[in-house]
Amino acid sequence: MRSAIGFLLLGALAIGGCDRQSQAPQQANETTAAANASVGSEPEYGGTLDRTHKGEAAPATEFTDPSGKKVSIASFKGKPVLLNLWATWCIPCIKEMPTLDTLAGANGDSLQILTVSQDLKGKESVDPFFTKAGYKHLKPYLDTEAALSTGMGANLPTTILYDSAGREVWRMSGDYDWSGEKAAALIAEAK
């Protein structure tokens, strides 16, 4: 019965998730789509910034690190964490991954970037994706039960910044250009 409920929740997330580009901004949220309008042939990004969870503690939900060990966001306490929830089947997720890789390279050890796949097939889907993409700085973390996205009610992609104490600063729903100056200013909000 529990499996059936989880499957139904995941199905609802898949249907409603993977960020719709025509999503209207909500009053409580600060939209950054216009601020990120691209010029020329650059791809457009349309993430929505949400500060309504500011100060909330990171969830204790466990996921798997690249070596197969169970970890949680608290495992990285002491430095800011940028948690990105994504899946190999999510087009907006795939679009922003190269900019997350650039961000990871630019920030080195000062910011822990966790790209946590919500793919149910885990390594079977994610490892070939990472191999083909050739990311230089990102590591494949796995959440094969999609516990993080379902527990937070988050569509994909969703990226959440936690400060060094493990408290949420903001979350970005939808794809975003993480390599630009605006992204750097947002990330600098974490202490």
Side-chain angles (χ1 to χ4, degrees):
M1 181 67 174
R2 223 173 168 182
S3 296
I5 291 171
F7 182 73
L8 289 173
L9 285 173
L10 187 59
L13 180 67
I15 291 168
C18 206
D19 186 48
R20 295 183 195 119
Q21 295 300 319
S22 61
Q23 189 176 40
Q26 299 174 1
Q27 284 184 342
N29 293 342
E30 175 184 338
T31 184
T32 57
N36 294 322
S38 301
V39 180
S41 62
E42 297 286 321
E44 287 189 31
Y45 294 88
T48 301
L49 186 63
D50 177 357
R51 296 179 186 274
T52 61
H53 300 275
K54 185 174 182 160
E56 291 180 11
T61 307
E62 290 187 328
F63 49 97
T64 308
D65 76 4
S67 71
K69 178 182 164 193
K70 288 289 187 182
V71 295
S72 69
I73 297 164
S75 304
F76 303 93
K77 198 171 182 177
K79 68 170 88 173
V81 171
L82 190 69
L83 172 72
N84 176 263
L85 303 175
W86 72 286
T88 59
W89 46 262
C90 171
I91 301 302
C93 301
I94 294 168
K95 184 170 94 174
E96 76 175 348
M97 291 291 277
T99 68
L100 284 165
D101 191 49
T102 300
L103 178 66
N107 282 276
D109 289 336
S110 66
L111 174 69
Q112 181 67 50
I113 298 178
L114 307 176
T115 52
V116 184
S117 168
Q118 303 297 284
D119 285 278
L120 299 179
K121 292 184 178 181
K123 292 176 91 46
E124 181 182 330
S125 297
V126 176
D127 285 354
F129 176 85
F130 262 72
T131 299
K132 182 177 179 185
Y135 300 125
K136 294 180 176 140
H137 308 286
L138 297 179
K139 304 291 183 231
Y141 291 83
L142 306 172
D143 177 10
T144 57
E145 296 177 16
L148 284 167
S149 58
T150 56
M152 292 185 211
N155 290 335
L156 301 180
T158 292
T159 305
I160 304 170
L161 180 65
Y162 294 97
D163 64 19
S164 57
R167 300 278 177 191
E168 184 168 328
V169 178
W170 49 255
R171 62 181 65 185
M172 183 72 68
S173 298
D175 55 328
Y176 192 75
D177 180 358
W178 296 105
S179 63
E181 289 179 23
K182 290 180 179 15
L186 285 171
I187 290 163
E189 294 179 28
K191 306 279 186 247

